[in-house]
Amino acid sequence: MSNKYKRCSTDQYGTEVFFHEALLVSEVRARSPEDATMFFVPIYGECYLWQYEMLKRENRVKSYELTNTLYLEALDIIRNQFPYWNRTLGRDHIFVFPGARGPTIFSDWQVHIKNSVYLTPEGDRKAFYYNTWKDIVIPGLEADPQFYSPESRQTLVDKPLERRFLAFFRGE
């Protein structure tokens, strides 16, 4: 899906794709699930929902129904083909929700994944679905190399006073 729709890999929705691809080549990745302490679940739900809402022009209700089905099918595979979910009822499974809607894009989230860990760039700690004891706010994907390339970052270290802008926003 991320290859088919550029937006799914180059903007904030691409955060899930980025984490998935980074983990696949990471040195911290356990090669055997028996050695893993956490399990990353790549579903690309926000991109899937966007595809139906924006490109296929499905109404909101139908788009959410289709996305809910995607999550239920993925969880069915995880629960029935792998024993790891059942050890902790998903507390050691990580989902990325790169949009402001958080896990609510999966209508049945409270029944199925409320104990799982959520990574989200939308860190509204007042949102009813966000739990500061388990969920983690992460930076959203920025696909412009100016923002993430080693060369760009090194300037911040070597010449901190030559920055034109430095900003931080924490809204309520």
Side-chain angles (χ1 to χ4, degrees):
M1 185 176 304
S2 65
N3 291 332
K4 186 175 181 181
Y5 303 117
K6 186 174 179 176
R7 181 175 188 192
C8 295
S9 60
T10 61
D11 77 355
Q12 189 162 310
Y13 290 175
T15 304
E16 183 174 14
V17 175
F18 173 81
F19 265 85
H20 184 201
E21 290 175 353
L23 286 171
L24 288 173
V25 297
S26 174
E27 293 178 16
V28 301
R29 176 179 171 219
R31 300 295 180 212
S32 166
E34 299 299 327
D35 297 331
T37 55
M38 302 295 286
F39 296 89
F40 182 76
V41 184
I43 295 181
Y44 302 180
E46 193 72 55
C47 184
Y48 189 83
L49 177 63
W50 171 80
Q51 162 193 232
Y52 280 100
E53 281 185 321
M54 303 307 289
L55 300 179
K56 297 182 180 179
R57 302 287 188 211
E58 292 287 351
N59 67 47
R60 185 178 190 279
V61 171
K62 180 68 173 175
S63 297
Y64 271 74
E65 285 174 1
L66 292 165
T67 304
N68 199 63
T69 299
L70 172 73
Y71 275 90
L72 291 173
E73 289 172 355
L75 286 170
D76 186 57
I77 292 168
I78 292 167
R79 288 179 177 141
N80 293 316
Q81 294 183 20
F82 304 99
Y84 311 104
W85 178 277
N86 299 322
R87 295 186 308 195
T88 64
L89 298 177
R91 281 190 313 274
D92 55 0
H93 284 62
I94 300 170
F95 293 82
V96 176
F97 293 103
R101 301 176 275 206
T104 65
I105 64 170
F106 174 29
S107 304
D108 293 331
W109 72 273
Q110 289 178 304
V111 174
H112 298 282
I113 64 169
K114 77 175 185 178
N115 296 322
S116 298
V117 176
Y118 309 146
L119 303 181
T120 179
E122 303 285 343
D124 182 357
R125 295 177 301 167
K126 293 180 181 176
F128 70 98
Y129 56 78
Y130 187 80
N131 181 334
T132 57
W133 292 100
K134 66 175 185 66
D135 300 330
I136 302 168
V137 178
I138 58 172
L141 177 68
E142 178 49 69
D144 185 338
Q146 175 183 351
F147 293 104
Y148 68 82
S149 72
E151 297 81 25
S152 295
R153 289 192 312 249
Q154 194 60 45
T155 301
L156 298 176
V157 174
D158 294 340
K159 303 174 185 176
L161 299 178
E162 293 184 24
R163 289 188 298 230
R164 287 185 26 190
F165 302 101
L166 177 62
F168 175 80
F169 174 76
R170 178 173 174 238
E172 288 291 324

